[in-house]
Every structure is written in structure tokens, then in C-alpha cells.
Amino acid sequence: MRGLSLVVLNMVGMLALSPAASAATCGNDGSGFANWLSQYKREAVSRGMSSRAVSRALSGVRYDPRVVRLDRSQKSFKLSFKKFYARRVSNSMIRRGRSYIENNRRLFSRIERDFGVPPEVIVSIWGLETGFGANSGKMSVMRSLATLAYDCRRSAFFTNELDHAIQIVARGDMSPDQMRGAWAGELGQTQFLASNYVKYAVDYDRNGRRDLIRSIPDVMASTANYLKRKGWRAGQSWGPGTKNYRVLREWNKAKVYVKTISVMATKMAGR
């Protein structure tokens, strides 16, 4: 999803990272992956990342050709809005979203107070991304990101994401084994890329960890925080042509996806 960030890291052995930080040689098949991974590890540590975190995060990581195949075969965003919406949204999904909002009214009221984002928007993203947390993915994030960082098609982009995924481990939010998500490395119930996880995730349940896989308060508040930080205007509408609609474009660049979020949220709100 959702863009890159330059992050100033704290004193646990991490460093500000750049999307083009790694000079390790990419490849188009798995034959050079082992050498690439060894070089990446050395370079990551030389840039100031914790050697313990790098070793822990990448222990046993291997090349995954399935991830590369999936990266080459994305088609759903080429559908018309009508077909995309029909494929991804149903009336029962709208009813479930309304039920989640009603059953968690205190949580969503607090989030709207703190971030200015209405629950219908957050829950629409939640439902569309993972079916309200049911399909957040089971693939190893470290393996997926290492594979895509090595692959030449978008090596710099995914090297940056791999750097930030290691930071999530280093700061204690999750262990590598816990970091399971979608094939492109998206994490959690609203599918944050690692760089956005580092920048926007919040510990809303105040247990000392930002957990976007198991903590509903953290998931909902972090999603709202992302939108707020991108310029969401509290109390204003989110339909096409509005400032908030443009903010939704920051969440996902695909026009059909953004329109689907907007329509879902409007229906959940009963408008």
C-alpha cells in the first residue's frame, strides 16, 4: 500500500533508513539469493542496524518463487468499479460492519475524538482489506520481503520495507514468527506495509507494543492515525471530489479501491 518514509530510529541499535540503502545485487531467479542475503545482512549492520535484530529477523529465510509469481499476476484492480465492488462487497458485509461499530461504540467514539476519523471509514477499510481480520494472511513477512527485495523488479522499494520490518522486530512490537501476513509483506488486520507500521502504528491498548495483528484497539486507532497524518479533515464528508477522498487515495492508489471504501462507508453510515 501506502508510501515510503524516512524514519529516525532510537538507541536500540537502529539507524535512519533510506529506500535505496542496500547495494546488494538483485536477481531474477533464486540462484543468487543466498549470496544476496549474506550481503544484505552485512550492509544492514554496517548502516547501524542491530546485528542481533538482523540475525533474528532473517534466520532461516529463503527465496520464495510463489511470491514472485504473485507479484507478476495482479489483476483485480483492472476491473471496473461495478465488477470490483460486486466481487469484494456484499450487503451482509455492510451489516457486519454496522454491528462491529455498534458493539464497540466506546472504542470508536474515543478514536474519532482522538483522530477525527469516523468509524464507518475505518471499518470499511478493515472489511475490505481482510474481511474484518479473518484473512490477514499467513505467509512469512520476512521471507516475502526478502524475496521481493532481492527480485530486481522493485528491489529498492522492498529493501526499504525489509529494513523497516527488521525495525519492528528490534523495537519489540512482534517476533519474526508472529509477523505473518499477505504475500507482499503487508501486516495486520488493515494490511500495513512495514514502513507505515513503523511510522503510524500506535499502542492504543497501552500494553507496551504496537500489535496490528491481535489488538483491535491498536488496529483501529493506527488506521485512523494514518488517515489523520495524511490530512483527514474531521467532520467533513469523504465522497469523490473532497479532501478526505484524496486522503483515501493515500491509502490505496487504485481508483476502484478508493471508491469502494467511500461507498462502503457511506452505506454503513446509512446515508
Side-chain angles (χ1 to χ4, degrees):
M1 268 182 279
R2 344 261 201 247
L4 302 175
S5 61
L6 188 65
V7 180
V8 178
L9 310 180
N10 59 27
M11 297 181 65
V12 294
M14 297 173 286
L15 174 73
L17 304 173
S18 161
S22 177
T25 304
C26 66
N28 293 311
D29 58 44
S31 60
F33 181 76
N35 288 336
W36 173 89
L37 186 62
S38 295
Q39 187 177 351
Y40 170 83
K41 290 178 180 178
R42 291 193 299 271
E43 291 172 354
V45 173
S46 72
R47 297 197 307 270
M49 297 176 71
S50 161
S51 59
R52 181 176 182 275
V54 171
S55 178
R56 184 180 175 213
L58 298 176
S59 176
V61 165
R62 56 180 174 78
Y63 180 79
D64 190 343
R66 180 189 174 201
V67 169
V68 176
R69 288 195 300 271
L70 289 167
D71 185 51
R72 302 292 193 271
S73 61
Q74 301 178 73
K75 297 178 181 179
S76 63
F77 292 154
K78 297 179 182 179
L79 298 173
S80 68
F81 167 72
K82 184 176 180 179
K83 289 182 178 179
F84 183 84
Y85 189 90
R87 179 177 292 188
R88 300 291 293 270
V89 185
S90 65
N91 289 334
S92 64
M93 191 173 175
I94 299 296
R95 289 193 296 270
R96 283 181 66 194
R98 288 174 178 162
S99 178
Y100 281 123
I101 293 169
E102 186 59 33
N103 292 335
N104 295 278
R105 181 61 63 181
R106 290 181 63 186
L107 171 65
F108 284 114
S109 294
R110 187 159 63 99
I111 289 172
E112 186 165 11
R113 180 198 69 206
D114 290 345
F115 301 100
V117 183
E120 293 83 5
V121 172
I122 303 168
V123 172
S124 293
I125 291 172
W126 186 29
L128 190 58
E129 290 286 355
T130 66
F132 308 110
N135 303 300
S136 58
K138 298 181 179 179
M139 297 180 72
S140 165
V141 166
M142 292 301 176
R143 184 170 67 223
S144 291
L145 291 180
T147 296
L148 292 168
Y150 163 72
D151 185 65
C152 288
R153 193 168 88 89
R154 290 187 287 171
S155 181
F157 178 89
F158 283 107
T159 296
N160 180 68
E161 294 305 325
L162 181 58
D163 288 345
H164 286 87
I166 293 170
Q167 186 183 347
I168 293 170
V169 173
R171 73 183 187 179
D173 286 333
M174 284 189 288
S175 70
D177 288 343
Q178 291 170 333
M179 293 172 68
R180 294 194 167 271
W183 65 265
E186 299 97 333
L187 269 166
Q189 295 193 32
T190 54
Q191 299 287 273
F192 272 51
L193 287 171
S195 58
N196 287 332
Y197 199 117
V198 168
K199 188 170 184 178
Y200 301 109
V202 295
D203 177 19
Y204 210 62
D205 61 13
R206 299 181 181 179
N207 71 347
R209 298 166 59 241
R210 286 149 286 204
D211 185 348
L212 304 191
I213 293 179
R214 288 169 295 275
S215 171
I216 296 300
D218 288 5
V219 171
M220 301 296 110
S222 297
T223 305
N225 184 47
Y226 178 96
L227 296 174
K228 178 183 178 181
R229 299 272 296 277
K230 292 294 184 179
W232 186 272
R233 294 183 179 178
Q236 297 189 16
S237 63
W238 54 77
T242 65
K243 168 66 175 178
N244 287 339
Y245 193 83
R246 291 194 292 274
V247 172
L248 292 176
R249 289 290 304 272
E250 294 292 326
W251 183 268
N252 194 297
K253 303 300 183 186
K255 293 180 180 179
V256 292
Y257 203 100
V258 175
K259 189 173 181 180
T260 297
I261 294 172
S262 177
V263 171
M264 283 181 69
T266 298
K267 288 187 175 183
M268 277 189 206
R271 299 177 185 174

